[in-house]
Amino acid sequence: MIQHKDHFHGSDLEKIEQIYGIKKEEITSFSANVNPLGISPLLRETLASHIDDITAYPDREYTSLRKCIAEYANTDYENIIMGNGSTELISLFIQIERPQKALIIGPTYSEYEREIALGGGTCLYYPLKEELDFALDASDFTSHLNESIDLVVICNPNNPTSGAILRRTMRKILDVCKQNDIFVMVDETYVEFADNYKDITSVPLTAYYNNIVILRGTSKFFACPGLRLGYAVTGNRDLIKEINTRKNPWTINSLAAISGEIMFRDSSYIAQTQSLISQERKRVYEIITGDSRFKAYPPSGNFMLVRLLDDALSSELLFDRLIRQKMMIRDCSTFPFLDNKYIRFCFMAPEMNDKLLSCLLSKNC
């Protein structure tokens, strides 16, 4: 096994190429959590015909795109804020709210803590419990909320645990947060992959609560991280006004704006994606849980967290074993509350999932 100190993100294929000598084009990334179908066929077929649109500035209000997203997400278009990826919106929101103390449900994505720290705030973590399969105990969680906290951050479904909080539970959390003057930021990057999407998404709650903002993007479900197209949904018009006042105009280029309108209307692609992930999620989960060396946690997203129960296995060893077979998984030892006994991988096409499982479950791969 190559000895190195790197912990690779799904986009770090150049580092892999440098360390392992494997061309990045030959690597199948089970770490990036991107839709295995690739980009929308409708987008592929039609985007080139819009090339002349780059000769003019896009509509700085992105009205047509926002209306398209509103139809897709079932909300009012005036509740939509556009961003250059959801990362820009996280940054803008933190700059505006300037939380002094934030409570983050973890283990989770590190960008939240980074942005809060850059804004001068302090982050506390509420740890999900392994004995509960990393499912949230909402009653216990809300008992930790008080007026000293400015912001609660929830990834739903959560990365890397893939567990989800139902909307009826989110409503209870919002009620307690409202009582304590706490704003809630919900990252729904992976919600569209969930079988029970309509029971999970918090978008309908924005019609009743002004202390919530929901972040979404197109990087994962629509397989276009390079497009840098994200959006937020909130019913708080004061927040919308301030974000739009602060953010630079035209952060979404013309082709990205047009791409969004095409993708969000590609109903066949959307349905095919949801069907594929649903089937493979169930199948792969059942196979993994059938091996006593592994414990898989019930997934809602397009990826799964697995605990290694065999003393002979570690996340570093399995990463090394699989990357030599040109497959990349996520070593989860850098996530808060996890260690080198946890890995994460996403669901790809059946044949690639079979290849991963064959190597992962084999003692001789």
Side-chain angles (χ1 to χ4, degrees):
M1 183 170 67
I2 291 179
Q3 298 297 316
H4 58 81
K5 297 181 180 179
D6 298 275
H7 289 273
F8 300 104
H9 181 270
S11 62
D12 292 338
L13 296 181
E14 288 80 7
K15 289 184 181 179
I16 296 286
E17 187 174 53
Q18 181 181 6
I19 292 173
Y20 284 91
I22 301 171
K23 292 181 179 180
K24 61 182 181 180
E25 294 81 9
E26 298 176 358
I27 298 171
T28 299
S29 179
F30 286 85
S31 175
N33 298 342
V34 172
N35 185 342
L37 295 181
I39 65 172
S40 150
L42 186 60
L43 177 64
R44 189 185 299 277
E45 293 167 7
T46 59
L47 183 59
S49 64
H50 294 278
I51 190 65
D52 288 340
D53 287 322
I54 64 173
T55 62
Y57 284 99
D59 167 21
R60 64 188 300 159
E61 302 296 329
Y62 299 102
T63 304
S64 180
L65 175 59
R66 286 162 57 221
K67 286 183 177 180
C68 180
I69 292 173
E71 182 180 352
Y72 172 77
N74 195 25
T75 188
D76 189 323
Y77 84 96
E78 293 186 345
N79 292 344
I80 303 289
I81 312 167
M82 300 310 306
N84 188 250
S86 58
T87 305
E88 182 195 28
L89 295 171
I90 292 172
S91 180
L92 283 168
F93 174 74
I94 297 301
Q95 289 173 29
I96 290 168
E97 290 296 315
R98 290 192 172 277
Q100 295 304 299
K101 184 187 288 186
L103 183 60
I104 303 173
I105 296 177
T108 197
Y109 180 52
S110 62
E111 189 65 23
Y112 314 131
E113 181 178 2
R114 175 181 175 275
E115 289 293 341
I116 291 165
L118 286 173
T122 301
C123 293
L124 304 175
Y125 276 92
Y126 175 85
L128 297 170
K129 299 177 177 63
E130 193 279 334
E131 57 267 28
L132 297 178
D133 286 349
F134 295 109
L136 179 69
D137 181 338
S139 296
D140 184 70
F141 173 67
T142 53
S143 72
H144 288 77
L145 300 176
N146 56 64
E147 293 181 350
S148 72
I149 298 168
D150 305 302
L151 175 68
V152 162
V153 181
I154 304 172
C155 185
N156 194 39
N158 186 42
N159 175 21
T161 64
S162 204
I165 301 169
L166 295 177
R167 186 165 63 252
R168 62 173 181 266
T169 301
M170 193 70 75
R171 181 185 286 270
K172 294 176 182 178
I173 293 171
L174 284 167
D175 285 336
V176 177
C177 286
K178 189 73 174 175
Q179 293 166 11
N180 290 280
D181 196 26
I182 301 170
F183 212 99
V184 181
M185 183 171 72
V186 181
D187 185 344
E188 288 194 350
T189 295
Y190 300 102
V191 74
E192 291 134 298
F193 290 108
D195 282 338
N196 54 340
Y197 161 82
K198 291 183 179 179
D199 296 323
I200 296 173
T201 178
S202 293
V203 168
L205 298 178
T206 60
Y208 307 99
Y209 295 87
N210 66 353
N211 63 326
I212 182 173
V213 61
I214 298 165
L215 302 168
R216 288 196 185 174
T218 57
S219 296
K220 306 301 184 181
F221 189 84
F222 290 97
C224 52
L227 199 62
R228 310 311 306 140
L229 178 62
Y231 62 99
V233 185
T234 182
N236 189 319
R237 297 299 169 85
D238 291 334
L239 176 62
I240 292 173
K241 182 178 179 181
E242 191 159 3
I243 287 180
N244 285 331
T245 299
R246 281 175 173 260
K247 76 185 187 76
N248 294 323
W250 306 302
T251 56
I252 310 299
N253 67 67
S254 298
L255 292 183
I258 292 166
S259 296
E261 292 194 48
I262 296 170
M263 291 186 299
F264 288 115
R265 292 191 170 111
D266 193 346
S267 56
S268 176
Y269 166 80
I270 292 167
Q272 188 179 359
T273 297
Q274 291 169 335
S275 175
L276 171 65
I277 297 301
S278 179
Q279 291 174 29
E280 288 303 290
R281 176 170 48 223
K282 182 177 185 294
R283 186 177 73 89
V284 174
Y285 176 74
E286 289 176 351
I287 292 172
I288 290 290
T289 53
D291 191 312
S292 61
R293 296 174 298 159
F294 302 94
K295 178 179 179 180
Y297 301 93
S300 293
N302 65 323
F303 55 89
M304 186 165 63
L305 180 69
V306 176
R307 183 182 178 189
L308 312 176
L309 303 179
D310 188 334
D311 291 340
L313 296 177
S314 68
S315 56
E316 300 97 334
L317 185 149
L318 288 180
F319 180 94
D320 188 78
R321 175 193 293 179
L322 287 159
I323 201 63
R324 292 178 185 279
Q325 300 299 316
K326 301 179 180 179
M327 293 177 287
M328 180 180 176
I329 60 170
R330 181 67 154 89
D331 172 354
C332 291
S333 59
T334 56
F335 282 98
F337 315 116
L338 301 183
D339 55 27
N340 69 348
K341 285 297 187 179
Y342 292 89
I343 60 171
R344 187 201 71 201
F345 55 85
C346 65
F347 308 115
M348 305 290 280
E351 59 273 17
M352 287 309 304
N353 291 334
D354 287 342
K355 183 180 178 183
L356 175 74
L357 290 169
S358 176
C359 191
L360 188 64
L361 302 180
S362 171
K363 296 181 180 180
N364 303 309
C365 181

